Amino acid sequence: MIFNRLFCNRGILIQNFRQHGWIGILYLITLLFSLPLYIGTQYIEVPLEINSLFQANEIHLLFALTFPVAIALLLFRYIQTGAPADLYHSLPLQRKHLLTMNLLTGYVMILLPIWITTGITGWVWAVLDQPSYIFSGHDIWMWGVTMSIFSLFMFTLTVAVGMCIGQSILQGLTVFGLILIPVIFWGVYELHLQRYLLGFTYNNSSNFNMEKTSLLFRMSSMGYYPPEWGN
C-alpha cells in the first residue's frame, strides 16, 4: 500500500498525462506517418530488399532525438519555475517519489508510441500483397528495440542535465551540445593530424571509429550498417 501510494501515485500520473499527454500522441502520429503509412503507401515497380527499416526512411531517427528531449523538458519543468516547484514540493511526497512518477510517465509516453508503431508496421508487413520494401520480422523488432534505446537515452540524458541546469532552453542546448562533443572533438583531432602529421590521410576507417564514440554518427549510419543485438 505504501509503495502504491508514494511511488505509483495515481493523481500525479493522471495530472502528467492530462497536461503533457499531447506530446506522446504527437510522437505516435509522427512515427506512424514516417514508417508504416510510408511503407504502405509507397509504390516501387521493383520491390527493394532492405536489411533494416532505417533504409526505408530515416526521418524517425530525428524524432528519436527531439521528442524525448521535449518530453523531459515538459515533465521536469516544474523544478525550474517558482510556483510549480512550491506546489509540487508542498505535496506529501518526497522528491524521489516525484522523480519516480515523472520518469514512469516519460517512459510510457516514449515506449508506448514506439511499440504501437512496431505492431502496426508488422500488421502492414503481413497484409500487403505487393510491398515496395522487402524485409523480415526480425527487422521490425530491431527497429522497435533500437528506437526504444535511443529515445530512452535522450530522455534520461535530458533529465540528468536538468538536475544541474535551471533553465529549460539552456538545458535543451546543453543536451545537444553533449551529443555533438565527440563529433567536434574528432573533427578537430583529424584536422590537426592532417596539418601537422606528414603522410596522414583520411579514410573510411575514421568514420567507423567515429560511430563507436558518437551517437549522431551511429544514427546516421543506420541505413548502411543495420543495428545488431551485440550493439
Side-chain angles (χ1 to χ4, degrees), residues 17-33:
F17 285 115
R18 181 181 300 172
Q19 187 174 3
H20 307 298
W22 60 271
I23 193 170
I25 297 174
L26 184 60
Y27 190 29
L28 173 62
I29 293 174
T30 53
L31 289 178
L32 290 177
F33 273 96

Side-chain angles (χ1 to χ4, degrees), residues 60 67 89 116 119 132 158 175 190 210 217:
H60 39 253
F67 274 94
H89 292 155
I116 289 177
S132 300
T158 308
V175 169
E190 285 195 338
M210 196 55 204
F217 267 73

Side-chain angles (χ1 to χ4, degrees), residues 38-60:
Y38 177 82
I39 292 176
T41 55
Q42 286 293 306
Y43 174 75
I44 302 177
E45 293 183 359
V46 180
L48 179 64
E49 186 174 356
I50 57 178
N51 298 322
S52 171
L53 292 181
F54 295 102
Q55 290 181 258
N57 191 3
E58 294 183 351
I59 193 173
H60 39 253

Side-chain angles (χ1 to χ4, degrees), residues 143-157:
W143 181 90
V145 172
T146 305
M147 287 290 292
S148 299
I149 293 174
F150 283 155
S151 300
L152 290 180
F153 173 78
M154 294 301 298
F155 175 78
T156 307
L157 177 62

Side-chain angles (χ1 to χ4, degrees), residues 1-12 84-99 101:
M1 291 298 295
I2 295 177
F3 182 87
N4 293 334
R5 181 172 62 86
L6 298 180
F7 287 95
C8 295
N9 190 281
R10 185 174 59 183
I12 298 294
D86 295 338
L87 174 62
Y88 275 87
H89 292 155
S90 65
L91 298 174
L93 296 171
Q94 297 182 12
R95 296 191 178 188
K96 62 181 180 180
H97 304 146
L98 294 174
L99 176 64
M101 289 297 96

Side-chain angles (χ1 to χ4, degrees), residues 26-190:
L26 184 60
Y27 190 29
L28 173 62
I29 293 174
T30 53
L31 289 178
L32 290 177
F33 273 96
S34 65
L35 189 61
L37 294 180
Y38 177 82
I39 292 176
T41 55
Q42 286 293 306
Y43 174 75
I44 302 177
E45 293 183 359
V46 180
L48 179 64
E49 186 174 356
I50 57 178
N51 298 322
S52 171
L53 292 181
F54 295 102
Q55 290 181 258
N57 191 3
E58 294 183 351
I59 193 173
H60 39 253
L61 291 173
L62 177 62
F63 300 148
L65 282 174
T66 54
F67 274 94
V69 174
I71 291 173
L73 291 177
L74 291 176
L75 286 176
F76 290 89
R77 182 173 172 76
Y78 74 91
I79 300 177
Q80 303 168 349
T81 53
D86 295 338
L87 174 62
Y88 275 87
H89 292 155
S90 65
L91 298 174
L93 296 171
Q94 297 182 12
R95 296 191 178 188
K96 62 181 180 180
H97 304 146
L98 294 174
L99 176 64
T100 303
M101 289 297 96
N102 286 287
L103 287 177
L104 179 61
T105 305
Y107 293 159
V108 172
M109 292 172 61
I110 290 173
L111 294 178
L112 194 60
I114 291 175
W115 287 103
I116 289 177
T117 305
T118 303
I120 295 178
T121 304
W123 177 77
V124 171
W125 169 68
V127 301
L128 279 180
D129 295 330
Q130 297 180 346
S132 300
Y133 299 97
I134 300 176
F135 51 90
S136 64
H138 174 265
D139 299 327
I140 301 176
W141 282 107
M142 285 304 301
W143 181 90
V145 172
T146 305
M147 287 290 292
S148 299
I149 293 174
F150 283 155
S151 300
L152 290 180
F153 173 78
M154 294 301 298
F155 175 78
T156 307
L157 177 62
T158 308
V159 173
V161 172
M163 301 298 176
C164 307
I165 296 178
Q167 188 176 2
S168 298
I169 297 178
L170 184 59
Q171 178 184 353
L173 294 177
T174 304
V175 169
F176 290 108
L178 291 175
I179 296 297
L180 289 172
I181 282 178
V183 180
I184 298 173
F185 176 79
W186 192 267
V188 174
Y189 173 72
E190 285 195 338

